[in-house]
């Protein structure tokens, strides 16, 4: 009797197993480590709920929690108040220079928020340009430091999320619905409030949730411009640095509270959306109306004012970088002193930023293409779960992920603390969703019959993927890689915790320079970062036929 031959797992089965192991090691293990430590006593290591009790009873932590919720909600509201009107004007009217406005909005989105905080200090700080100009004519400006400054930066930083998502939704609304409301005597404001806004609410709420989550997770802005305003992200960092040498119990407990807030916000949004239907027919789409006279002035004034407000930090930083300096002090006139200083004092930071980002992006390009194939082509419970799991990095703040990596990979043969490998892996796992989402969207447009034909002709699954699928999805891989690079090179919150003198990056150096009052160095490095980001945005626009879909 011959024994039946055991069939070996297929190529894609092995890839699926490898993907599960990778996510377990680089995503869930660090998060689980943070979760477990949050229930440990810092001195004895015994199980305790005291850490959480302190956070929800001590005034110090409760104040930080309240401040976090305030800046999160206020930043989200400010982003909506800027993003929704901009989207409405761009989708309903013929606006001149549409591509310029979209480009400025995206550039405002991809630049790091702490650069915005630094730029507004240069304008409205105690010795800011606008502050000094107004004081010269007897007008006293309120301080930019504190809660109002944080909210201002977040609103101007995150409104592009609202704008891009809402404009796309507005363009898809059936025009007959608004026409019917108008024929029934509904005013323009009434049509917008009762018809238009409910139909685009899913898009607005999704952008709002992203703005909220990023606002509560941001570390650089409240640290630079907050002064006495403490948030959960800033005290998580301070607690971590004060607990060095022991278990960072309070830092990780604060981190778990931040994750819980992000997840709760997402669940509330999904529950609200589930209660009502927001679908409409995709026929009879909107036609952009021409504008003239006072209406044209109003529409163009609103659109350009919002877009330019978002770009002010970039303009200020570039301008400041060319002001002559004498050490840390601006001496007036123009010169390249700041650039000479960064090439002599911070060449490692510049090189590290590009090397780490490129290494992370190379991993993202390979892994995202494989994961995208599993998610799109290998439909199963596991592939569906992988698609949902890849949303987790969006919800986990960088501070949390960094603390998780430090507490997990800190001993034995896998001790990565203080190494470039740790920074690359953190950036890789946090930015992987960009690559997967971009590549998946392109792969869904490729007919499976093309790959099936290659396999029918005798090509192996691996060879078919490499020779047939990869060339077809290359535009998605490139766009996803560029978006990953943009966000990777601007990473601050996680690298600030794990960097050493040999692994310092440009965002970390900019933050330290601002804290030390070295504004010339900060401006020059920020300009290098902004120009690098801008070039990537330009390439994305050239390579992507649907620019909004790739930036949402």
């Amino acid at each position: 009797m011959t024994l039946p031959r055991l069939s070996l797992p297929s190529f894609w089965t092995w890839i699926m197993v490898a993907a599960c192991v990778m996510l377990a090691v680089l995503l869930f293990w660090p998060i689980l480590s943070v979760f477990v430590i949050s229930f440990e006593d810092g001195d004895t290591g015994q199980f305790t709920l005291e850490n959480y009790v302190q956070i929800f009873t001590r005034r110090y932590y409760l104040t930080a929690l309240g401040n976090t919720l305030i800046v999160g909600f206020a930043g989200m509201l400010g982003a909506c108040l800027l993003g929704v009107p901009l989207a409405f004007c761009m989708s309903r009217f013929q606006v001149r220079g549409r591509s310029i406005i979209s480009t400025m909005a995206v550039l405002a989105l991809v630049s790091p928020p702490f650069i915005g905080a630094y730029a507004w200090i240069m304008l409205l700080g105690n010795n800011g340009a606008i502050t000094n100009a107004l004081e010269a004519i007897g007008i006293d400006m309120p301080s930019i430091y504190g809660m109002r400054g944080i909210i201002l930066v977040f609103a101007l930083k995150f409104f592009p999320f609202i704008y891009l998502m809402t404009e796309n939704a507005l363009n898809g609304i059936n025009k007959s619905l608004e026409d019917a409301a108008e024929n029934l005597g509904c005013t323009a404001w009434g049509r917008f409030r009762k018809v238009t806004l409910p139909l685009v609410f899913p898009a607005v709420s999704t952008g709002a949730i992203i703005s909220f989550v990023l606002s509560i997770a941001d570390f650089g802005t409240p640290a630079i411009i907050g002064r006495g305003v403490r948030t959960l992200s800033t005290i998580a960092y301070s607690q971590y640095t004060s607990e060095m040498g022991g278990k960072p119990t309070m830092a990780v407990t604060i981190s778990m509270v931040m994750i819980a807030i992000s997840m709760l916000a997402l669940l509330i949004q999904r529950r609200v959306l589930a209660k009502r239907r927001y679908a409409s027919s995709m026929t009879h789409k909107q036609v952009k109306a021409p504008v003239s006279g006072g209406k044209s002035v109003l529409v163009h004034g609103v659109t350009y004012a919002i877009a330019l407000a978002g770009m002010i930090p970039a303009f200020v930083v570039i301008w400041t970088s060319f002001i002559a300096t004498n050490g840390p002090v601006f001496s007036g006139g123009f010169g390249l002193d700041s650039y000479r200083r960064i090439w002599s004092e911070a060449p490692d930071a510049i090189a590290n930023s590009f090397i780490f980002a490129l290494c992370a992006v190379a991993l993202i390009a390979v892994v995202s293409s494989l994961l995208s194939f599993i998610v799109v082509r290998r439909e199963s419970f596991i592939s569906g779960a992988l698609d949902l799991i890849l949303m987790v990095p969006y919800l986990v703040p960088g501070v949390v992920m960094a603390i998780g990596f430090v507490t997990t990979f800190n001993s034995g043969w896998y001790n990565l603390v203080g190494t470039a490998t740790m920074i690359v892996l953190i950036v890789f796992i946090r930015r992987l969703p960009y690559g997967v989402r971009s590549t998946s969207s392109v792969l869904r447009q490729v007919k499976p019959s093309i790959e099936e034909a290659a396999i029918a002709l005798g090509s192996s699954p691996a060879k078919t993927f490499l020779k047939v699928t990869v060339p077809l999805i290359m535009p998605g891989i490139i766009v996803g890689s560029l978006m990953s690079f943009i966000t990777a090179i601007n990473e601050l919150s996680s690298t600030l915790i794990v960097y050493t003198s040999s692994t310092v990056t440009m965002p970390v150096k900019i933050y330290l320079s601002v804290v030390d009052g070295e504004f010339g160095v900060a401006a020059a490095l920020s300009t290098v970062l902004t120009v690098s980001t801008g070039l990537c945005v330009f390439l994305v626009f050239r390579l992507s036929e649907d620019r909004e879909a790739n930036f949402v």
Side-chain angles (χ1 to χ4, degrees):
M1 177 174 136
T2 56
L3 295 174
R5 292 183 62 185
L6 296 176
S7 59
L8 295 175
S10 66
F11 170 76
W12 289 110
T13 300
W14 284 116
I15 294 297
M16 191 176 294
V17 171
C20 293
V21 172
M22 177 199 70
L23 292 174
V25 173
L26 296 182
L27 185 61
F28 286 105
W29 190 10
I31 295 175
L32 183 61
S33 298
V34 172
F35 181 72
V36 170
I37 292 176
S38 70
F39 290 99
E40 293 182 3
D41 184 277
D43 297 323
T44 65
Q46 298 296 314
F47 175 84
T48 182
L49 296 174
E50 181 61 26
N51 300 327
Y52 287 96
V53 171
Q54 287 192 49
I55 289 179
F56 292 106
T57 57
R58 286 185 57 186
R59 184 176 180 180
Y60 175 77
Y61 297 111
L62 286 175
T63 301
L65 176 60
N67 290 338
T68 300
L69 295 175
I70 290 173
V71 299
F73 281 113
M76 176 185 72
L77 179 61
C80 290
L81 292 176
L82 294 174
V84 173
L86 179 60
F88 185 83
C89 291
M90 294 286 283
S91 65
R92 291 294 185 266
F93 306 111
Q94 294 179 6
V95 178
R96 298 182 185 88
R98 296 174 55 83
S99 59
I100 296 175
I101 294 173
S102 296
T103 301
M104 287 194 293
V106 174
L107 284 173
L109 177 63
V110 298
S111 63
F114 64 88
I115 289 182
Y118 155 68
W120 285 107
I121 289 175
M122 298 298 296
L123 288 174
L124 299 175
N126 295 333
N127 196 34
I130 296 178
T131 303
N132 291 336
L134 291 177
E135 285 182 351
I137 58 176
I139 300 176
D140 291 330
M141 282 290 294
S143 175
I144 190 66
Y145 297 102
M147 191 72 73
R148 64 170 62 91
I150 299 173
I151 295 171
L152 172 67
V153 172
F154 285 161
L156 292 173
K157 164 66 182 175
F158 299 127
F159 82 85
F161 281 116
I162 313 291
Y163 157 62
L164 292 173
M165 292 184 177
T166 306
E167 184 191 16
N168 189 50
L170 284 168
N171 288 332
I173 289 180
N174 189 334
K175 187 175 184 295
S176 60
L177 297 174
E178 295 178 337
D179 291 342
E182 183 179 7
N183 293 334
L184 291 172
C186 197
T187 63
W189 168 246
R191 291 196 305 274
F192 176 78
R193 182 172 59 87
K194 296 179 180 179
V195 179
T196 308
L197 191 57
L199 288 172
V200 299
F201 180 75
V204 175
S205 63
T206 300
I209 288 297
I210 294 175
S211 301
F212 175 80
V213 170
L214 293 177
S215 294
I216 67 173
D218 185 78
F219 165 80
T221 300
I224 291 174
I225 207 172
R227 290 287 173 93
V229 177
R230 298 185 182 89
T231 62
L232 290 180
S233 60
T234 58
I235 65 172
Y237 174 75
S238 62
Q239 290 281 3
Y240 173 78
T241 54
S242 66
E243 292 174 322
M244 292 291 285
K247 284 189 176 181
T249 53
M250 290 308 300
V252 299
T253 305
I254 296 167
S255 301
M256 293 309 302
V257 173
M258 293 170 66
I259 293 178
I261 293 173
S262 300
M263 295 182 66
L264 181 62
L266 182 62
L267 291 173
I268 291 174
Q269 185 233 10
R270 291 194 172 187
R271 185 170 181 81
V272 170
L273 294 180
K275 289 183 177 181
R276 298 179 61 183
R277 295 184 61 185
Y278 298 90
S280 66
S281 172
M282 296 299 289
T283 60
H284 198 196
K285 292 186 178 181
Q286 297 289 334
V287 177
K288 295 177 178 61
V291 288
S292 59
K295 191 174 184 179
S296 176
V297 173
L298 178 62
V299 169
H300 285 85
V302 169
T303 53
Y304 276 95
I306 294 174
L308 287 171
M311 280 298 294
I312 283 177
F315 295 147
V316 171
V317 162
I318 294 173
W319 175 272
T320 306
S321 69
F322 290 102
I323 297 177
T325 60
N326 182 12
V329 180
F330 291 114
S331 58
F334 292 95
L336 299 176
D337 304 322
S338 298
Y339 289 95
R340 294 190 190 96
R341 289 192 62 190
I342 66 171
W343 290 120
S344 63
E345 298 177 12
D348 292 343
I350 299 173
N352 287 341
S353 292
F354 282 96
I355 292 172
F356 297 162
L358 289 172
C359 289
V361 167
L363 289 173
I364 290 170
V366 175
V367 175
S368 65
S369 60
L370 294 169
L371 284 179
S372 297
F373 192 94
I374 292 174
V375 169
V376 176
R377 293 284 194 261
R378 312 288 290 187
E379 294 185 1
S380 66
F381 172 79
I382 296 178
S383 63
L386 286 175
D387 193 27
L388 290 175
I389 289 170
L390 287 170
M391 287 295 295
V392 174
Y394 283 123
L395 299 176
V396 180
V399 173
V400 179
M401 189 62 73
I403 294 175
F405 264 70
V406 171
T407 56
T408 302
F409 306 107
N410 62 357
S411 62
W413 60 271
Y414 54 83
N415 186 353
L416 301 177
V417 177
T419 65
T421 302
M422 175 171 281
I423 294 178
V424 171
L425 290 177
I426 291 175
V427 173
F428 160 72
I429 198 64
R430 294 198 69 215
R431 306 309 177 191
L432 179 61
Y434 288 102
V436 175
R437 290 287 177 263
S438 176
T439 309
S440 297
S441 65
V442 175
L443 184 58
R444 285 190 171 92
Q445 298 174 354
V446 177
K447 291 184 177 179
S449 57
I450 300 175
E451 298 150 354
E452 293 167 358
I455 294 176
L457 292 173
S459 179
S460 66
K463 187 176 181 181
T464 299
F465 175 76
L466 187 62
K467 299 291 186 180
V468 178
T469 309
V470 169
L472 292 172
I473 63 174
M474 187 57 69
I477 295 175
I478 293 174
V479 170
S481 298
L482 287 171
M483 280 303 300
S484 301
F485 179 82
I486 289 168
T487 52
I489 201 171
N490 286 308
E491 177 66 27
L492 171 68
S493 56
S494 60
T495 51
L496 189 62
I497 285 181
V498 300
Y499 87 96
T500 62
S501 58
S502 61
T503 59
V504 65
T505 60
M506 278 194 287
V508 172
K509 184 65 177 177
I510 293 168
Y511 170 77
L512 297 176
S513 298
V514 171
V515 172
D516 294 338
E518 295 278 358
F519 293 119
V521 171
L525 284 172
S526 297
T527 301
V528 173
L529 205 53
T530 301
V531 170
S532 302
T533 300
L535 289 175
C536 287
V537 171
F538 173 76
L539 291 174
V540 169
F541 274 13
R542 291 295 299 270
L543 294 169
S544 173
E545 293 182 356
D546 186 358
R547 81 179 55 164
E548 287 88 356
N550 287 292
F551 281 94
V552 170

